Amino acid sequence: MKRILSLVLAFALLLGLCSFAAAEEESNPWSDLDLSEYKEINFIIPGNKPAAFDEILGKANERMKELINTTVNFDFVSYGEFGTKLSLFLSGDDYDLVYGAYWFSFGDYVKNGGYKGFDWDFVEKYMPMTAKTQAPTSWREMKFGDLYYGITNDINSISANGVWTRQSVLDKYGFKAEDIKNDDDLVKLMDAIAADTPSTGVYAFNPQGTYPLDTTYWFTGKNHMMDTNAGSATWMVWKYNTGKEFTVDDLQWFADTDEYRQFCVRMADFYKRGFFPASVISNDTMVDDNFNAGTSAITFGSPFGMNSLLQTMKNDTPVFINCLWDDESVTRHGNYFVYCVGFPPKSKNMERAAVALDCMKNDPIVNRLLVFGIEGRHYTLSEDGKYYNLGPEAADYPYFAIGNNASLQHDSDPQQALHPSVQKYQEMYEAAEVPADTFPINGFNYQCNYEAELSAVTALFNEYRFSFCFGIFGDQTEAKLDKFINQCKAMGIDDIINDYRTQLAAYIAEQQ
């Protein structure tokens, strides 16, 4: 009897151990892969390394080593340097994961072999969780021909930008936030700041030389335009406030619009009035960093970013000014592709890099660490887990510190609980959302049939763009713009535009 009882207990124990092992295996989506050889993955992204990053990455790497026998090294590079050296980062074998964005000519790098393609079988094998959770639309945006070339953020939220400044700036020049109601009022404030710049060293607007000012407000936003492939040579715009329903024939190439000409001329006037530093083109410090340091009196941003400043700015009071919005302004859900991560062709660890990215995006512990930081210190969660607040050490690990650039965020992430002073603006932006079919281009990925022509136009655009953004050409601006447009037309931009419209029309028809 004792022997039978012992056998029963042993069998029960064995079943328990097997059940525990099975549960462990179920909790590790990568357990069927051969990960017996330890690997280190090198990941390069633009931006500044947060003060608490090494500690947080250490905790994340401990978890990743347990799960996938892999750790990840991050290399942070300033935005200016990243843009000028991206081709070097992609052509060597130093990195396994590399950031991409449309304003860093992601599509052109893909077409020139800068990022390595992969098929769906690769995703399902090495990124099983991303295959299950990532929005289908986001994959379409990353597909060129038969292959995918990157993984985007899985987040597509609605908001809009206002102007951020400091209460001390408003007080110094005798302005009140509620009195700055529109663009003209904002320019009056910038004029007052610029008049003092020689003595204060504070510029009205002090951005990095690659800041896409044309997509921030004074071109597309001010003129009520929706855009597609914003920032690329095939950049197209559509005015949504004319009362007409969208048709592909109404899409215009950005440079050939009266509004873009007005933008360029206006930026030249801003430059002449001292709103930007004379050396703005060579500046590689991000505008938000300059704003935090006090050398940029304003910057642009959403209520979410302002909410962070309200909790972390120690020596002044940040102020959100809703002067970029009017009764005709609307919001929309755009594409998932704003940022992405891809694989450089010479990486020797592509498969393991994919596993590591899958783990960083989807393991709850690793993802929460890298996106939010350490709970209780960098953030706190509401009881229902739907909202987060900044913690006492949030300045050492700002939200979005690497989440954006490493494509780690999700629509299902907790939302930031907003201060009442900015919550009202976020609610207003959300209430102004229009349906996706108002501008039905989400998921469209243009595959140019004029590769040589597009490469030539892109190179020319990159040569001119930021000089137009910051008015560097001065009194020669319109002549330079005419020259740019004429050169693009000689290179075949009209053929590219017609090709673009034809493909978009076919894509829209397929979705109906």
Side-chain angles (χ1 to χ4, degrees), residues 187-257:
V187 171
K188 291 176 183 175
L189 172 63
M190 296 175 75
D191 264 327
I193 296 164
D196 266 0
T197 296
S199 60
T200 65
V202 178
Y203 290 90
F205 188 61
N206 186 8
Q208 69 271 23
T210 55
Y211 187 85
L213 192 59
D214 40 22
T215 64
T216 299
Y217 170 66
W218 275 301
F219 172 42
T220 53
K222 178 179 174 62
N223 294 296
H224 300 104
M225 289 176 166
M226 295 179 181
D227 55 52
T228 176
N229 288 358
S232 72
T234 54
W235 182 7
M236 309 284 276
V237 295
W238 173 67
K239 286 182 69 68
Y240 60 75
N241 65 335
T242 62
K244 294 176 58 180
E245 290 189 3
F246 173 78
T247 68
V248 295
D249 291 334
D250 290 330
L251 271 179
Q252 293 180 276
W253 181 52
F254 76 98
D256 223 3
T257 64

Side-chain angles (χ1 to χ4, degrees), residues 352-374:
R352 188 65 67 89
V355 175
L357 183 59
D358 198 38
C359 184
M360 289 188 289
K361 284 175 72 72
N362 295 288
D363 178 71
I365 295 174
V366 174
N367 183 260
R368 187 59 60 84
L369 278 167
L370 293 176
V371 173
F372 291 92
I374 299 172

Side-chain angles (χ1 to χ4, degrees), residues 271-289:
Y271 183 79
K272 186 181 297 184
R273 290 156 83 165
F275 289 2
F276 319 125
S279 59
V280 60
I281 288 294
S282 61
N283 184 16
D284 64 1
T285 304
M286 292 178 65
V287 62
D288 285 358
D289 292 329

Side-chain angles (χ1 to χ4, degrees), residues 330-341:
V330 300
T331 55
R332 58 179 286 269
H333 278 290
N335 284 341
Y336 279 87
F337 175 39
V338 179
Y339 321 92
C340 73
V341 172

Side-chain angles (χ1 to χ4, degrees), residues 374-426:
I374 299 172
E375 188 172 4
R377 290 171 52 189
H378 305 113
Y379 73 100
T380 59
L381 283 178
S382 61
E383 287 187 9
D384 59 9
K386 293 181 179 179
Y387 298 94
Y388 76 91
N389 282 293
L390 300 183
E393 300 175 37
D396 292 336
Y397 199 79
Y399 183 62
F400 294 146
I402 70 161
N404 266 342
N405 292 352
S407 295
L408 303 183
Q409 294 166 317
H410 305 278
D411 282 325
S412 58
D413 287 346
Q415 296 294 304
Q416 190 173 5
L418 297 179
H419 189 277
S421 64
V422 289
Q423 177 67 42
K424 59 184 178 182
Y425 297 121
Q426 178 60 22

Side-chain angles (χ1 to χ4, degrees), residues 18-40:
C18 289
S19 298
F20 178 75
E24 268 209 327
E25 188 170 329
E26 283 182 12
S27 68
N28 187 340
W30 310 281
S31 59
D32 60 341
L33 296 171
D34 180 6
L35 305 174
S36 57
E37 183 182 356
Y38 168 73
K39 295 278 189 180
E40 289 188 13

